[in-house]
Amino acid sequence: GTLSPSGLERATGLARSTVDRITATLARMGYVRLEGRDGRDVVLTPRLMELGNAYLAALRLPALLDARADALADELDESVSLAVGDRDGIRFIHQATRRRAMSLSFRIGDLLPAERTAPGPLFATEWTEEDWRRRQERRATDPEDRGFPAIPPRQHMADDFTERTAQAARDGWSLDDQLIEPGLVAVSVPVRDPATRRIACVASVVSHTSRHSADDLRTTLLPRLRETVTAMEEDLREPPAPPTAPAPSDLATWTAASKQELGREFVESLARGLTVLTAFGEDRPALTLAEVAKATGLARATARRALITYEHLGLVRHAPDTHTFTLTPRVLSLGFPPLSRTSLPRIAQPHLQDLAAEVHESASLAVLTPSAEEIQYTARAATARIMSVDITVGTRLPARATALGRALLADLPPHLYSLVDAELEEGLRAIAVPIRDRAGRTVAAADIATHAARHTPEECVELLLPPLRKTASRIEADLHMASRFTRVPLT
């Protein structure tokens, strides 16, 4: 999720000037930010997840099936995943993991070679000759699977994938007996589209040999997995109508204005191309060229070039019979995996740092402890002052004596805030506002703390509250983007 410009040069083979222009463009779009001592390290931001979210929303499978996957994971106390095929590999689209010392570490969007997974043989039962040829070429050029950073390099193992595929076709399920790494076992069952009977996705139960052997998975967990898959297929038979959402608009106007302001440092073709991906959504899974152009405000010729480019890169699939385009699982490769394991403190930290630099006071994020009697600080941005508020991450304080705690306990409605004056400590003033999740629930609070000699209570409201509210809104926007299809831990 973080690279220096020189690291990007080495990774891409692009000239430094090109790297700088692309970085500036992505920063303008909010997809990366620049950090480090010289402000040159490039860091992916949660905003970038809107590209992967567009694919997952258009796919609809996570929204329709994740509740059953989560329930099965709770029942079995094992990790459950949903995966889709991506050419001769698989990508995860949902993970319900268990918190253990040894637990599943794959992320949504991670790409794995089909032959080293349980879902792989099931997808391969529907492969074309071209798919098999592609796998053969990939194995010849990358025998150790170095092109799959989510898994350890391949050790010496028999290439029995053809036999495993034939077995999966006969059985209707598939097993992974420590093919990825020692100790990891999984059993998989295909979830079929009721209309076409083709595989829509594959559901898997993943465990460790300390809890289940491969044979144990087959005899004890496979029956329950099959029952869940049957219920999933019923859910797909008559899915609810997708909610309608407004398509992005005026994107062409925005990119043109950015080009006018930044000049050659803004790569307008890159920005316009990426906006094309955001045109797709839950109620827009397949779009014609005219619909893409209308949704983005781009000229048909511009939209067409972007779609042709993305089709060549495997990010878009064209259906000539319907003249429509759809997104492919490969869209998840655009930064989604490293961001899918982010947490609320990581999301908030850069925003708190910007806030502290703006107001020259310390800023914090906190959550309630399970007892609701204390708050716990989870992120902090201190200011450089001789006398400053010195509270470290992890500190717990009584909730009712702090502005953060009162904002959390009161679940303040919009435009209200909490102001505490010298109740926790003489001379300490703090003003706080709530942070809400996608459902509108207060899950955290952010505050600015100052010394009474620097700001009166009235000045806290007049001078500190407006930038604090803006910061809270930015944190919420990133949280909502990151949590649409992933779980974002609060600590």
Side-chain angles (χ1 to χ4, degrees):
T2 303
L3 275 174
S4 66
S6 58
L8 284 168
E9 279 187 87
R10 291 191 298 270
T12 63
L14 298 174
R16 176 60 179 269
S17 59
T18 304
V19 167
D20 289 343
R21 293 179 65 215
I22 290 175
T23 298
T25 302
L26 296 177
R28 178 71 169 194
M29 300 183 76
Y31 288 165
V32 304
R33 66 176 180 272
L34 303 180
E35 291 187 349
R37 291 195 329 187
D38 58 355
R40 300 297 291 172
D41 288 343
V42 183
V43 183
L44 303 181
T45 70
R47 173 70 183 274
L48 181 61
M49 296 180 77
E50 74 175 354
L51 304 179
N53 284 349
Y55 163 73
L56 293 172
L59 183 67
R60 294 204 69 193
L61 293 177
L64 294 173
L65 307 181
D66 61 356
R68 293 200 183 276
D70 295 348
L72 182 62
D74 290 339
E75 176 188 338
L76 302 180
D77 196 26
E78 298 289 353
S79 295
V80 174
S81 65
L82 300 176
V84 293
D86 185 354
R87 294 191 176 181
D88 62 332
I90 72 161
R91 285 191 193 270
F92 294 104
I93 59 170
H94 182 73
Q95 293 279 12
T97 58
R98 304 292 90 187
R99 285 197 170 187
R100 290 195 174 99
M102 290 186 296
S103 62
L104 193 67
S105 62
F106 296 126
R107 305 162 302 186
I108 295 177
D110 271 336
L111 177 66
L112 278 66
E115 64 270 13
R116 291 180 63 181
T117 68
L122 293 166
F123 286 117
T125 61
E126 297 182 347
W127 279 5
T128 64
E129 291 185 6
E130 182 182 355
D131 294 325
W132 284 101
R133 178 185 55 78
R134 184 183 294 115
R135 172 187 176 267
Q136 186 176 7
E137 292 175 352
R138 187 254 301 163
R139 287 289 313 279
T141 57
D142 184 18
E144 294 184 343
D145 295 335
R146 299 284 179 179
F148 299 89
I151 60 173
R154 179 190 298 269
Q155 302 298 320
H156 298 292
M157 63 177 66
D159 187 11
D160 59 351
F161 187 56
T162 303
E163 298 174 13
R164 292 176 56 221
T165 299
Q167 185 69 43
R170 291 191 296 269
D171 296 339
W173 54 272
S174 182
L175 206 62
D176 166 12
D177 190 358
Q178 307 180 75
L179 294 173
I180 293 177
E181 67 177 15
L184 183 65
V185 290
V187 62
S188 297
V189 174
V191 180
R192 297 189 178 275
D193 184 325
T196 65
R197 297 311 298 166
R198 292 183 61 83
I199 298 175
C201 66
V202 169
S204 305
V205 177
V206 186
S207 187
H208 191 270
T209 50
S210 61
R211 298 189 297 275
H212 292 282
S213 66
D215 286 340
D216 209 15
L217 287 181
R218 177 176 55 82
T219 57
T220 61
L221 302 188
L222 177 59
R224 187 64 191 92
L225 175 60
R226 277 178 156 164
E227 292 176 6
T228 297
V229 165
T230 299
M232 288 179 172
E233 291 177 343
E234 285 299 314
D235 292 338
L236 296 181
R237 193 174 303 279
E238 295 184 6
T244 57
S249 60
D250 297 328
L251 296 177
T253 303
W254 180 86
T255 57
S258 297
K259 181 66 174 180
Q260 179 99 16
E261 181 180 341
L262 299 181
R264 70 178 306 274
E265 294 304 308
F266 186 79
V267 186
E268 189 173 13
S269 59
L270 171 63
R272 289 189 165 184
L274 289 173
T275 64
V276 164
L277 300 179
T278 66
F280 296 83
E282 194 167 1
D283 59 333
R284 303 182 300 277
L287 296 173
T288 64
L289 170 59
E291 289 169 335
V292 170
K294 181 179 179 181
T296 58
L298 297 173
R300 282 174 61 100
T302 303
R304 180 176 178 274
R305 285 195 299 271
L307 290 168
I308 290 175
T309 301
Y310 288 144
E311 185 179 11
H312 177 72
L313 294 174
L315 298 169
V316 164
R317 184 179 297 113
H318 181 220
D321 54 334
T322 60
H323 305 290
T324 59
F325 297 85
T326 55
L327 301 181
T328 74
R330 189 149 298 190
V331 173
L332 293 174
S333 68
L334 302 179
F336 203 91
L339 292 168
S340 66
R341 285 288 178 89
T342 193
S343 64
L344 181 55
R346 287 185 181 179
I347 289 173
Q349 188 63 42
H351 298 295
L352 295 177
Q353 290 171 345
D354 291 343
L355 176 62
E358 178 183 353
V359 300
H360 305 290
E361 299 288 356
S362 298
S364 305
L365 185 84
V367 297
L368 280 176
T369 60
S371 67
E373 295 180 355
E374 295 179 311
I375 62 165
Q376 180 177 359
Y377 286 82
T378 57
R380 285 272 295 163
T383 186
R385 285 185 181 271
I386 295 175
M387 184 173 62
S388 61
V389 179
D390 185 18
I391 299 175
T392 59
V393 171
T395 297
R396 294 190 177 195
L397 294 175
R400 297 187 181 278
T402 63
L404 288 163
R406 292 181 183 179
L408 285 161
L409 290 170
D411 193 12
L412 300 171
H415 309 301
L416 288 187
Y417 58 90
S418 170
L419 176 64
V420 168
D421 186 8
E423 293 187 35
L424 181 67
E425 182 178 322
E426 189 67 30
L428 177 64
R429 288 190 178 121
I431 189 166
V433 295
I435 303 293
R436 292 183 170 85
D437 63 11
R438 288 179 59 87
R441 297 182 296 256
T442 296
V443 294
D447 84 338
I448 297 173
T450 183
H451 192 272
R454 292 200 291 271
H455 293 287
T456 65
E458 293 76 17
E459 289 173 337
C460 288
V461 175
E462 181 182 353
L463 301 178
L464 302 184
L465 182 57
L468 177 61
R469 280 178 171 157
K470 290 180 181 178
T471 297
S473 296
R474 294 186 183 115
I475 294 172
E476 287 180 342
D478 282 352
L479 173 62
H480 298 172
M481 185 69 71
S483 61
R484 185 172 181 186
F485 294 104
T486 66
R487 291 184 177 84
V488 177
L490 301 181
T491 58

